[in-house]
Amino acid sequence: MVFTFKRGIHPNEAKQVTENIPIKAVFPLAKSELVYPLQQHLGAPCEPIVEVGQKVLIGEKIADSSAFISAPIHTSISGVIKEIRPHLTVSGTIVNSIIIENDGEMTEHESIQLRPGFDHLSKEEIVKIIREAGIVGLGGAGFPTHAKLSPPPDKKIDTIIVNGAECEPYLTTDNRVMIEEADRLVTGLRIMQKVLPGAKGFIAIEDNKPEAIGAVKKALENYPEINAAVMKTKYPQGSEKQLINALTQREVPSGALPIDVGCIVNNVDTVIAMHRAIFRGRPLMRKVVTITGGAIRNPGNYKVRLGTKLSDLIELVGGLKSNVAKVVAGGPMMGVAIYDINVPIVKTTGGVLFLTEKEAYIPPEGNCIRCGTCVEHCPSGLIPTELNTDILKESGDLFIKHNGLDCIECGSCSYICPAKRRLSQAIRTFRRVQLAKRRK
């Protein structure tokens, strides 16, 4: 059986360049500066617990918060705290950051030690380790994982979904992780099942990843309580609400969370990070990032130390081969354009695209022809043209009334529009303004 959800689109996948290239680790340049923004997750930002001039070692905690919805930050290299100041991030925001000069020695902190596994650990101990490791959703949302694994007593979780759909064009990190670390992925899911006893386990993989499907099914041979769920290749299959609906036929209500329908969804690399923390005592210090596009010399999937500046990463992977028209953090559908490469790789960086002029070309915007194509394909069942009218009227009340806050900002409406209306861009900007007003 192949699972899927209602509506959606089929953009050009553009994955063939990197999907068959094994993950390669790259290490920061000696004497380079690494930048650790104190807001790399949803929730409260961290506060530094180190001082300028202090020497730190790999895996040492450098920032934390007492808030429940937050996650600590650890250094990924050994070196000296050079500055603590605001710094530009890939999202375009300026965030207070810890800047460390790499000493090139790669000396690990004494807290990094091999552990015997998880069988002897209680649920509470597992969650504490995950929290102290600073693990968050690595698929892009950045929700602290320990919070996901600590649902309120009245929320019964009966389904755990490992999200390996990876529907965003160009990106292939999850595909490679599933191929290369399938056994650890399965063990990571079993760790979550111990925290949430009785929950069924699913590893959801789109059917355009046959090698990953084969690797995961082989790793699951001795675990009949976990299923490899093959999904129809369609965008945005990897969105939480769409994935839950495809697998369970449950609808996450407007304003609700997956836990409200008994589900928890975690990204593939997030689950691998849990395994690393439980078995190897290693906090979250690296990210697998797809580096691709027609302008980069050596496209591939790279295991990158958090804090590495994009300008340094370009050099580490061999540099550029042609002029870059646009640099995008993330995929082409939901990513954001970068105007300065002096920004760090953070916990939620899934890919960086270096696009040529031909790849970056967007046709000029035309007038709406009232065809309804955007309505037909919106995965959230919204009416993008109506929301766009509300935006032109500058009416937040109408936007909210027409469920604009339920937009998942997937970009399907802009992609499919024959008039090339910038629907998604307008809705994304206006939606975030309304959410900010609500928070105030």
Side-chain angles (χ1 to χ4, degrees):
M1 179 178 181
V2 177
F3 300 91
T4 192
F5 63 97
K6 298 176 184 176
R7 297 176 290 273
I9 61 174
H10 293 85
N12 177 22
E13 295 172 18
K15 296 176 182 286
Q16 66 277 4
V17 176
T18 60
E19 63 184 351
N20 296 315
I21 302 175
I23 297 169
K24 180 182 178 181
V26 292
F27 297 93
L29 301 166
K31 301 302 180 182
S32 61
E33 292 181 356
L34 277 73
V35 180
Y36 301 86
L38 300 181
Q39 179 82 64
Q40 298 188 36
H41 47 266
L42 288 179
C46 289
E47 296 293 332
I49 56 174
V50 290
E51 298 178 350
V52 173
Q54 180 178 334
K55 182 173 176 59
V56 291
L57 305 178
I58 291 175
E60 188 170 345
K61 186 160 64 172
I62 56 175
D64 204 348
S65 169
S66 59
F68 178 63
I69 306 298
S70 189
I73 296 167
H74 304 75
T75 175
S76 59
I77 47 93
S78 56
V80 176
I81 307 294
K82 189 172 183 180
E83 293 180 277
I84 301 176
R85 62 172 175 83
H87 198 285
L88 184 67
T89 67
V90 292
S91 65
T93 57
I94 296 176
V95 176
N96 200 32
S97 305
I98 297 172
I99 300 169
I100 302 176
E101 184 178 27
N102 181 21
D103 62 13
E105 297 177 5
M106 300 299 284
T107 308
E108 294 190 345
H109 191 262
E110 60 183 12
S111 61
I112 297 180
Q113 296 181 356
L114 293 177
R115 292 170 172 157
F118 68 97
D119 290 335
H120 67 291
L121 297 173
S122 68
K123 295 185 290 185
E124 293 75 19
E125 288 171 328
I126 291 173
V127 172
K128 182 178 180 181
I129 291 171
I130 290 170
R131 194 269 171 199
E132 285 301 305
I135 299 171
V136 302
L138 302 180
F143 193 86
T145 303
H146 72 275
K148 271 193 180 182
L149 295 177
S150 307
D154 61 325
K155 304 293 184 183
K156 173 63 177 175
I157 304 301
D158 59 27
T159 304
I160 301 171
I161 302 172
V162 176
N163 187 352
E166 197 169 44
C167 58
E168 180 84 33
Y170 284 93
L171 305 188
T172 58
T173 59
D174 291 345
N175 179 51
R176 292 309 313 175
V177 167
M178 288 186 287
I179 292 169
E180 299 178 33
E181 300 194 65
D183 289 328
R184 291 178 178 175
L185 179 67
V186 171
T187 302
L189 177 48
R190 291 175 56 226
I191 291 170
M192 288 191 287
Q193 286 181 310
K194 180 164 185 179
V195 176
L196 301 165
K200 296 178 182 177
F202 294 92
I203 301 175
I205 315 170
E206 284 195 320
D207 58 10
N208 63 346
K209 303 174 180 64
E211 192 175 356
I213 292 171
V216 169
K217 285 187 173 179
K218 182 178 180 181
L220 287 174
E221 287 177 351
N222 296 321
Y223 304 103
E225 69 277 12
I226 301 174
N227 298 290
V230 179
M231 319 297 295
K232 181 179 179 180
T233 299
K234 187 165 63 169
Y235 181 86
Q237 191 89 249
S239 174
E240 278 189 338
K241 291 186 177 182
Q242 279 63 43
L243 194 59
I244 289 169
N245 178 252
L247 278 174
T248 69
Q249 288 73 57
R250 301 173 192 175
E251 295 276 356
V252 180
S254 175
L257 297 170
I259 61 171
D260 294 310
V261 294
C263 297
I264 281 180
V265 182
N266 271 316
N267 168 264
V268 164
D269 207 21
T270 306
V271 179
I272 295 292
M274 285 189 243
H275 181 284
R276 192 180 302 110
I278 297 294
F279 281 82
R280 299 171 61 195
R282 301 186 75 83
L284 183 56
M285 299 182 291
R286 68 100 180 109
K287 187 76 171 65
V288 182
V289 182
T290 298
I291 303 295
T292 189
I296 197 76
R297 190 174 302 280
N298 295 307
N301 291 296
Y302 294 91
K303 195 176 292 185
V304 184
R305 294 279 168 148
L306 296 179
T308 303
K309 290 182 183 178
L310 183 55
S311 53
D312 289 338
L313 182 56
I314 293 170
E315 182 179 345
L316 290 169
V317 303
L320 302 170
K321 67 179 182 181
S322 64
N323 291 332
V324 181
K326 182 179 287 187
V327 180
V328 177
M333 300 298 293
M334 297 186 71
V336 294
I338 298 175
Y339 62 87
D340 187 337
I341 59 172
N342 187 39
V343 293
I345 299 299
V346 295
K347 295 180 181 182
T348 54
T349 306
V352 185
L353 313 183
F354 296 87
L355 305 178
T356 62
E357 189 171 339
K358 181 179 179 181
E359 291 173 314
Y361 174 73
I362 299 175
E365 186 176 21
N367 294 323
C368 176
I369 60 174
R370 313 294 291 175
C371 65
T373 304
C374 59
V375 180
E376 180 184 352
H377 291 276
C378 176
S380 297
L382 305 177
I383 305 176
T385 52
E386 184 176 56
L387 294 174
N388 193 52
T389 299
D390 299 337
I391 294 167
L392 294 173
K393 292 179 179 178
E394 298 183 358
S395 176
D397 291 339
L398 285 175
F399 183 84
I400 293 170
K401 178 182 177 181
H402 296 145
N403 302 309
L405 298 183
D406 289 337
C407 172
I408 60 173
E409 303 180 5
C410 67
S412 295
C413 52
S414 292
Y415 181 89
I416 207 70
C417 176
K420 301 305 173 186
R421 299 285 295 165
R422 310 291 192 256
L423 296 167
S424 180
Q425 294 88 333
I427 293 170
R428 174 186 294 185
T429 301
F430 200 74
R431 175 179 179 270
R432 294 186 179 186
V433 169
Q434 302 311 309
L435 289 172
K437 286 181 178 179
R438 280 197 167 190
R439 284 193 292 269
K440 287 183 180 179

PDB file of all heavy atoms in Angstrom, residues 405-418:
ATOM      1  N   LEU A 405      -4.048  31.726   8.920  1.00  0.00           N
ATOM      2  CA  LEU A 405      -3.036  31.251   9.866  1.00  0.00           C
ATOM      3  C   LEU A 405      -2.762  29.756   9.726  1.00  0.00           C
ATOM      4  O   LEU A 405      -1.767  29.254  10.261  1.00  0.00           O
ATOM      5  CB  LEU A 405      -3.457  31.580  11.299  1.00  0.00           C
ATOM      6  CG  LEU A 405      -3.616  33.066  11.647  1.00  0.00           C
ATOM      7  CD1 LEU A 405      -3.961  33.233  13.117  1.00  0.00           C
ATOM      8  CD2 LEU A 405      -2.359  33.859  11.300  1.00  0.00           C
ATOM      9  N   ASP A 406      -3.637  29.046   8.996  1.00  0.00           N
ATOM     10  CA  ASP A 406      -3.428  27.615   8.775  1.00  0.00           C
ATOM     11  C   ASP A 406      -2.498  27.327   7.606  1.00  0.00           C
ATOM     12  O   ASP A 406      -2.162  26.162   7.345  1.00  0.00           O
ATOM     13  CB  ASP A 406      -4.763  26.908   8.529  1.00  0.00           C
ATOM     14  CG  ASP A 406      -5.615  26.820   9.782  1.00  0.00           C
ATOM     15  OD1 ASP A 406      -5.045  26.900  10.885  1.00  0.00           O
ATOM     16  OD2 ASP A 406      -6.844  26.674   9.668  1.00  0.00           O
ATOM     17  N   CYS A 407      -2.081  28.372   6.891  1.00  0.00           N
ATOM     18  CA  CYS A 407      -1.148  28.181   5.779  1.00  0.00           C
ATOM     19  C   CYS A 407       0.155  27.587   6.313  1.00  0.00           C
ATOM     20  O   CYS A 407       0.679  28.031   7.336  1.00  0.00           O
ATOM     21  CB  CYS A 407      -0.875  29.525   5.101  1.00  0.00           C
ATOM     22  SG  CYS A 407       0.427  29.468   3.846  1.00  0.00           S
ATOM     23  N   ILE A 408       0.675  26.579   5.627  1.00  0.00           N
ATOM     24  CA  ILE A 408       1.935  25.953   6.054  1.00  0.00           C
ATOM     25  C   ILE A 408       3.132  26.519   5.278  1.00  0.00           C
ATOM     26  O   ILE A 408       4.244  26.015   5.402  1.00  0.00           O
ATOM     27  CB  ILE A 408       1.877  24.421   5.924  1.00  0.00           C
ATOM     28  CG1 ILE A 408       1.613  24.005   4.475  1.00  0.00           C
ATOM     29  CG2 ILE A 408       0.822  23.848   6.859  1.00  0.00           C
ATOM     30  CD1 ILE A 408       1.721  22.507   4.238  1.00  0.00           C
ATOM     31  N   GLU A 409       2.882  27.538   4.465  1.00  0.00           N
ATOM     32  CA  GLU A 409       3.933  28.256   3.736  1.00  0.00           C
ATOM     33  C   GLU A 409       4.749  27.327   2.840  1.00  0.00           C
ATOM     34  O   GLU A 409       5.966  27.465   2.705  1.00  0.00           O
ATOM     35  CB  GLU A 409       4.841  29.003   4.722  1.00  0.00           C
ATOM     36  CG  GLU A 409       4.098  29.976   5.621  1.00  0.00           C
ATOM     37  CD  GLU A 409       4.999  30.720   6.593  1.00  0.00           C
ATOM     38  OE1 GLU A 409       6.232  30.541   6.508  1.00  0.00           O
ATOM     39  OE2 GLU A 409       4.477  31.475   7.431  1.00  0.00           O
ATOM     40  N   CYS A 410       4.067  26.387   2.198  1.00  0.00           N
ATOM     41  CA  CYS A 410       4.760  25.389   1.383  1.00  0.00           C
ATOM     42  C   CYS A 410       5.140  25.895   0.000  1.00  0.00           C
ATOM     43  O   CYS A 410       5.997  25.310  -0.665  1.00  0.00           O
ATOM     44  CB  CYS A 410       3.913  24.124   1.264  1.00  0.00           C
ATOM     45  SG  CYS A 410       2.373  24.346   0.326  1.00  0.00           S
ATOM     46  N   GLY A 411       4.466  26.952  -0.465  1.00  0.00           N
ATOM     47  CA  GLY A 411       4.783  27.507  -1.776  1.00  0.00           C
ATOM     48  C   GLY A 411       4.074  26.860  -2.942  1.00  0.00           C
ATOM     49  O   GLY A 411       4.312  27.218  -4.098  1.00  0.00           O
ATOM     50  N   SER A 412       3.179  25.907  -2.673  1.00  0.00           N
ATOM     51  CA  SER A 412       2.499  25.197  -3.759  1.00  0.00           C
ATOM     52  C   SER A 412       1.683  26.135  -4.643  1.00  0.00           C
ATOM     53  O   SER A 412       1.649  25.977  -5.871  1.00  0.00           O
ATOM     54  CB  SER A 412       1.584  24.105  -3.178  1.00  0.00           C
ATOM     55  OG  SER A 412       2.331  23.108  -2.523  1.00  0.00           O
ATOM     56  N   CYS A 413       1.028  27.112  -4.024  1.00  0.00           N
ATOM     57  CA  CYS A 413       0.155  28.003  -4.799  1.00  0.00           C
ATOM     58  C   CYS A 413       0.962  28.841  -5.789  1.00  0.00           C
ATOM     59  O   CYS A 413       0.559  29.001  -6.950  1.00  0.00           O
ATOM     60  CB  CYS A 413      -0.676  28.883  -3.867  1.00  0.00           C
ATOM     61  SG  CYS A 413       0.275  29.790  -2.625  1.00  0.00           S
ATOM     62  N   SER A 414       2.098  29.367  -5.353  1.00  0.00           N
ATOM     63  CA  SER A 414       2.940  30.159  -6.254  1.00  0.00           C
ATOM     64  C   SER A 414       3.518  29.294  -7.364  1.00  0.00           C
ATOM     65  O   SER A 414       3.601  29.709  -8.522  1.00  0.00           O
ATOM     66  CB  SER A 414       4.086  30.818  -5.476  1.00  0.00           C
ATOM     67  OG  SER A 414       3.599  31.799  -4.597  1.00  0.00           O
ATOM     68  N   TYR A 415       3.920  28.080  -7.022  1.00  0.00           N
ATOM     69  CA  TYR A 415       4.534  27.183  -8.000  1.00  0.00           C
ATOM     70  C   TYR A 415       3.554  26.807  -9.102  1.00  0.00           C
ATOM     71  O   TYR A 415       3.905  26.792 -10.290  1.00  0.00           O
ATOM     72  CB  TYR A 415       5.050  25.921  -7.299  1.00  0.00           C
ATOM     73  CG  TYR A 415       5.719  24.940  -8.239  1.00  0.00           C
ATOM     74  CD1 TYR A 415       7.080  25.043  -8.500  1.00  0.00           C
ATOM     75  CD2 TYR A 415       4.989  23.928  -8.861  1.00  0.00           C
ATOM     76  CE1 TYR A 415       7.705  24.151  -9.369  1.00  0.00           C
ATOM     77  CE2 TYR A 415       5.608  23.039  -9.733  1.00  0.00           C
ATOM     78  CZ  TYR A 415       6.954  23.152  -9.989  1.00  0.00           C
ATOM     79  OH  TYR A 415       7.571  22.280 -10.847  1.00  0.00           O
ATOM     80  N   ILE A 416       2.325  26.514  -8.720  1.00  0.00           N
ATOM     81  CA  ILE A 416       1.349  25.978  -9.673  1.00  0.00           C
ATOM     82  C   ILE A 416       0.602  27.061 -10.434  1.00  0.00           C
ATOM     83  O   ILE A 416      -0.046  26.791 -11.449  1.00  0.00           O
ATOM     84  CB  ILE A 416       0.347  25.050  -8.933  1.00  0.00           C
ATOM     85  CG1 ILE A 416      -0.226  23.990  -9.875  1.00  0.00           C
ATOM     86  CG2 ILE A 416      -0.745  25.848  -8.250  1.00  0.00           C
ATOM     87  CD1 ILE A 416       0.769  22.941 -10.300  1.00  0.00           C
ATOM     88  N   CYS A 417       0.671  28.308  -9.980  1.00  0.00           N
ATOM     89  CA  CYS A 417      -0.110  29.395 -10.582  1.00  0.00           C
ATOM     90  C   CYS A 417       0.339  29.676 -12.017  1.00  0.00           C
ATOM     91  O   CYS A 417       1.510  30.008 -12.250  1.00  0.00           O
ATOM     92  CB  CYS A 417       0.033  30.667  -9.746  1.00  0.00           C
ATOM     93  SG  CYS A 417      -0.798  32.102 -10.467  1.00  0.00           S
ATOM     94  N   PRO A 418      -0.553  29.574 -13.005  1.00  0.00           N
ATOM     95  CA  PRO A 418      -0.160  29.839 -14.398  1.00  0.00           C
ATOM     96  C   PRO A 418       0.192  31.300 -14.650  1.00  0.00           C
ATOM     97  O   PRO A 418       0.918  31.615 -15.598  1.00  0.00           O
ATOM     98  CB  PRO A 418      -1.396  29.417 -15.197  1.00  0.00           C
ATOM     99  CG  PRO A 418      -2.530  29.503 -14.246  1.00  0.00           C
ATOM    100  CD  PRO A 418      -1.969  29.156 -12.901  1.00  0.00           C
TER     101      PRO A 418
END
